[in-house]
Amino acid sequence: MAAAGIPGSRATDCVTKVAISIACENLLDMDTFSKSDPLCVLFMTSSSGPHWTEIGRTEKIQNCLNPKFSKTFVIDYYFEMVQKLKFEVYDIDSENCSLRDADFLGELECTLGQIVSSRKLTKPLLMKDKRPAGRGTITVCAEERTDNRVVEFEASARKLDKKDFFGKSDPFLEFYRQTETGWQLAHRTEVVKNNLNPNWRPFRIPLQSLCGGDVEKPIKVDCFDYNNSGSHDFIGCFETTLVQIQQASQTYAAEFDCINSKKKQKKKGYKNSGVIIIKKCQVVKEYTFLDYIMGGCQINFTIAIDFTGSNGDPSTPQSLHYINPHGFNEYLAAIWAVGNVIQDYDSDKMFPAFGFGAKIPPTMQVCHEFPINFNPSNPFCAGIEGVVQAYQQCLPQVRLYGPTNFSPIINHVACFGRQAIQQNTASQYYVLLIITDGVITDMDETRNAIVNASQLPMSIIIVGVGGADFSAMEFLDGDDGILRSATGQAAMRDIVQFVPFRQFQNGPQEILAQSVLAEVPGQVTGFFNTMRLGPPNSNTPPLEISASAPPSDAS
């Protein structure tokens, strides 16, 4: 299972990894009173079939027709394969960044080989009918990722210039790497609202993206005041190197004057437009998914099946639970497709399988978390075949009911994730597959459960079967925004992947599995690297170079 490629039999081979960065110019302006809010979606397919698998999405950039996206994509590159890529650019109009409500701004289809051979590929964006998308262009850069070290930063600022007439400033930072063709964006922090002494959340930048792996290479940091119009006010900047940050951090923290050259020329006695403080700067090794799997990390797979009444009477062909003469329905297809891939990463291949939303024997009371083998003390099924058999035997014994509550089963699996993290090792990771036909009825409780689970070694995959409106599921899939609990608490990371089965029901099962499981490797590595937990059987310490300072009360 490759981190961002087409899974295949060569997962353990030495693979070349390529980092893809994206920028656009002269995009169509689809908004009446403002500019477009662009986001780019990357799809990939192999030469063997027409099915596109979504690799990921960039961040949305507000009110901008010439976006430079800070998010990059790392793809496994095979010289001997034709790896087709498609870049689709959208103007996002909804808070949950749904593509359903977005305006299409153009696309580019090319191969990874074309990008790699040119290193910087600029092409016009095309509409679906192949007409030019106005004067819009897209530039895609490729760089071989040979260094898996990242730089962990904690940054703050002091006494930044006030840029807003009715407030202070809404500052954010941009980190740039020096290249032969100029400064290239490596990272953009979040915006801290109405604060001249901001503390930004900790962030990571790949060492190669930041300075090409050379700790003495110049780095430029720009500070801006965010404006909804997209015309951000420049506060100031400074240039430095990782070595300089280290040297300056020996005693306390690295502090840099934020200089606005225009103000410096015009204003007598000008000192700075504020001070940027690097409170932590550590270069650490970032382990890969294969590092964890080959180092002893177990992927624990749990299946949850929707037995609510909206599925229809299982004895009738119209029901989503109706098993056709070939022994299949959409639930079984999803179980087989995902389970066949993920079972290779579970050593004992014993999978707990649960149902929810049904009245179960003997009391026929509605239950939102019951083992489908009706054995609460041992809900495990032997392999995917055992899950399928238990499902088939369970179906005639339960009465489909409702409502559709997700939070009980999420909290159930989270209990095991909580126990695992208390061991302070990267030995266990939990993946919950929820197969459902309907709209969630306990949305607030589900949001709370997911936000809590985001702090645990856990991922949630939701496969939607049937033709229901799944916009609520897309909201939970936080690809383009931060999911928050009902009380406003932000998720630590995105752990939900939603896929509607109908997009794949006419294609091979492996295409569904690829789309469903695409984000899991990154979620595994992202969590354990953030927690500073190396593979269980690895003796290599994650920390390689460090320059950290004690906490500062800069604000």
Side-chain angles (χ1 to χ4, degrees):
M1 188 191 304
I6 302 298
S9 60
R10 299 172 17 159
T12 57
D13 291 352
C14 183
V15 177
T16 299
K17 296 205 176 275
V18 175
I20 299 291
S21 58
I22 305 163
C24 298
E25 289 188 353
N26 301 315
L27 293 178
L28 292 171
D29 192 354
M30 307 298 287
D31 296 341
T32 305
F33 299 108
S34 61
K35 299 174 184 175
S36 295
D37 305 325
L39 171 150
C40 185
V41 187
L42 173 59
F43 298 88
M44 188 174 188
T45 187
S46 65
S47 56
S48 60
H51 299 280
W52 292 99
T53 299
E54 182 177 326
I55 297 300
R57 304 179 183 188
T58 67
E59 73 277 16
K60 178 182 77 172
I61 298 183
Q62 198 88 6
N63 285 311
C64 185
L65 302 182
N66 302 290
K68 294 180 180 178
F69 299 104
S70 65
K71 182 171 181 179
T72 59
F73 302 98
V74 180
I75 299 176
D76 293 342
Y77 169 66
Y78 299 104
F79 172 77
E80 70 278 15
M81 285 178 59
V82 177
Q83 294 170 273
K84 297 178 181 178
L85 302 180
K86 180 166 63 172
F87 301 85
E88 292 186 349
V89 184
Y90 291 88
D91 171 27
I92 301 298
D93 294 322
S94 61
E95 286 297 321
N96 66 352
C97 293
S98 170
L99 298 185
R100 185 179 303 172
D101 305 318
D103 294 315
F104 183 70
L105 298 180
E107 68 179 13
L108 167 68
E109 287 190 30
C110 62
T111 67
L112 184 55
Q114 287 175 302
I115 302 172
V116 168
S117 61
S118 60
R119 296 192 68 179
K120 185 176 182 179
L121 182 69
T122 299
K123 292 284 186 180
L125 286 166
L126 302 177
M127 303 304 286
K128 293 293 186 182
D129 59 4
K130 304 306 178 186
R131 290 183 297 111
R135 296 187 298 115
T137 63
I138 184 169
T139 298
V140 184
C141 297
E143 178 182 57
E144 183 179 357
R145 182 62 60 83
T146 57
D147 193 332
N148 64 346
R149 291 176 295 170
V150 298
V151 188
E152 295 181 339
F153 283 104
E154 288 184 16
S156 63
R158 183 174 65 242
K159 296 182 180 179
L160 294 176
D161 282 354
K162 177 180 178 296
K163 291 289 186 178
D164 295 340
F165 187 76
F166 293 108
K168 298 178 181 177
S169 288
D170 306 319
F172 67 93
L173 301 177
E174 289 186 343
F175 285 70
Y176 287 85
R177 163 194 172 187
Q178 190 180 59
T179 69
E180 295 175 356
T181 56
W183 294 104
Q184 182 174 330
L185 180 65
H187 183 81
R188 182 184 293 116
T189 69
E190 92 278 14
V191 177
V192 177
K193 290 287 188 177
N194 198 35
N195 198 326
L196 302 182
N197 302 289
N199 280 283
W200 289 280
R201 287 195 302 266
F203 54 93
R204 288 178 160 213
I205 308 176
L207 186 65
Q208 196 164 339
S209 297
L210 182 65
C211 59
D214 183 352
V215 296
E216 295 187 350
K217 197 166 188 177
I219 299 165
K220 183 166 73 83
V221 181
D222 288 352
C223 184
F224 291 93
D225 166 43
Y226 177 85
N227 289 317
N228 287 330
S229 66
S231 300
H232 309 305
D233 295 321
F234 180 69
I235 295 176
C237 70
F238 66 91
E239 291 185 26
T240 184
T241 66
L242 279 183
V243 168
Q244 290 174 351
I245 296 175
Q246 285 180 292
Q247 291 173 345
S249 301
Q250 294 300 315
T251 54
Y252 188 61
E255 297 193 356
F256 299 92
D257 287 334
C258 192
I259 301 298
N260 186 322
S261 57
K262 289 184 179 179
K263 290 187 70 173
K264 187 177 182 179
Q265 291 172 0
K266 296 179 179 178
K267 192 175 178 181
K268 260 191 173 183
Y270 172 83
K271 287 187 176 181
N272 58 49
S273 294
V275 176
I276 305 297
I277 305 158
I278 306 296
K279 298 188 289 185
K280 177 182 177 182
C281 173
Q282 292 183 329
V283 182
V284 301
K285 176 178 179 179
E286 189 163 64
Y287 291 107
T288 67
F289 179 64
L290 286 180
D291 286 335
Y292 284 106
I293 295 302
M294 298 173 74
C297 179
Q298 288 294 308
I299 306 295
N300 300 281
F301 185 40
T302 301
I303 299 172
I305 300 171
D306 183 341
F307 286 101
T308 56
S310 55
N311 284 278
D313 183 351
S315 64
T316 65
Q318 292 76 31
S319 171
L320 291 167
H321 279 298
Y322 174 75
I323 300 177
N324 65 30
H326 301 290
F328 267 88
N329 60 28
E330 290 190 16
Y331 282 91
L332 286 170
I335 292 170
W336 277 113
V338 180
N340 275 334
V341 174
I342 209 162
Q343 69 178 349
D344 289 341
Y345 301 96
D346 191 309
S347 59
D348 62 10
K349 294 179 173 49
M350 296 295 292
F351 304 119
F354 295 87
F356 59 92
K359 290 186 173 182
I360 64 171
T363 62
M364 299 309 290
Q365 293 292 313
V366 67
C367 186
H368 297 290
E369 178 203 333
F370 63 91
I372 62 173
N373 65 1
F374 300 113
N375 186 351
S377 62
N378 184 17
F380 294 88
C381 303
I384 298 306
E385 295 86 354
V387 175
V388 169
Q389 185 179 9
Y391 166 73
Q392 292 170 332
Q393 293 174 352
C394 166
L395 201 52
Q397 301 183 60
V398 300
R399 180 183 170 193
L400 274 60
Y401 204 70
T404 308
N405 291 348
F406 279 16
S407 59
I409 188 62
I410 294 174
N411 289 329
H412 176 91
V413 177
C415 287
F416 296 98
R418 198 165 288 110
Q419 293 172 12
I421 200 61
Q422 288 172 355
Q423 300 173 12
N424 203 33
T425 67
S427 58
Q428 305 290 332
Y429 194 91
Y430 293 84
V431 176
L432 170 61
L433 170 65
I434 301 176
I435 312 173
T436 182
D437 84 309
V439 177
I440 303 171
T441 49
D442 66 337
M443 177 57 87
D444 284 350
E445 292 83 358
T446 294
R447 286 164 58 192
N448 294 343
I450 292 172
V451 168
N452 291 333
S454 71
Q455 304 173 48
L456 304 172
M458 180 175 168
S459 293
I460 301 169
I461 298 167
I462 304 174
V463 175
V465 296
D469 178 7
F470 290 121
S471 56
M473 310 293 183
E474 294 173 350
F475 171 75
L476 296 177
D477 187 343
D479 281 346
D480 315 297
I482 299 173
L483 180 70
R484 295 183 180 274
S485 69
T487 58
Q489 180 185 354
M492 188 179 91
R493 59 197 181 97
D494 173 22
I495 65 169
V496 177
Q497 169 78 343
F498 169 73
V499 175
F501 182 87
R502 58 177 172 253
Q503 292 183 1
F504 303 91
Q505 59 187 358
N506 297 322
Q509 287 186 2
E510 56 266 24
I511 301 298
L512 170 64
Q514 289 168 12
S515 181
V516 166
L517 297 173
E519 294 185 8
V520 171
Q523 290 169 349
V524 173
T525 56
F527 177 78
F528 286 131
N529 277 303
T530 299
M531 299 299 292
R532 304 297 302 279
L533 296 174
N537 300 333
S538 171
N539 295 321
T540 306
L543 183 60
E544 293 188 350
I545 309 170
S546 69
S548 59
S552 164
D553 57 349
S555 59

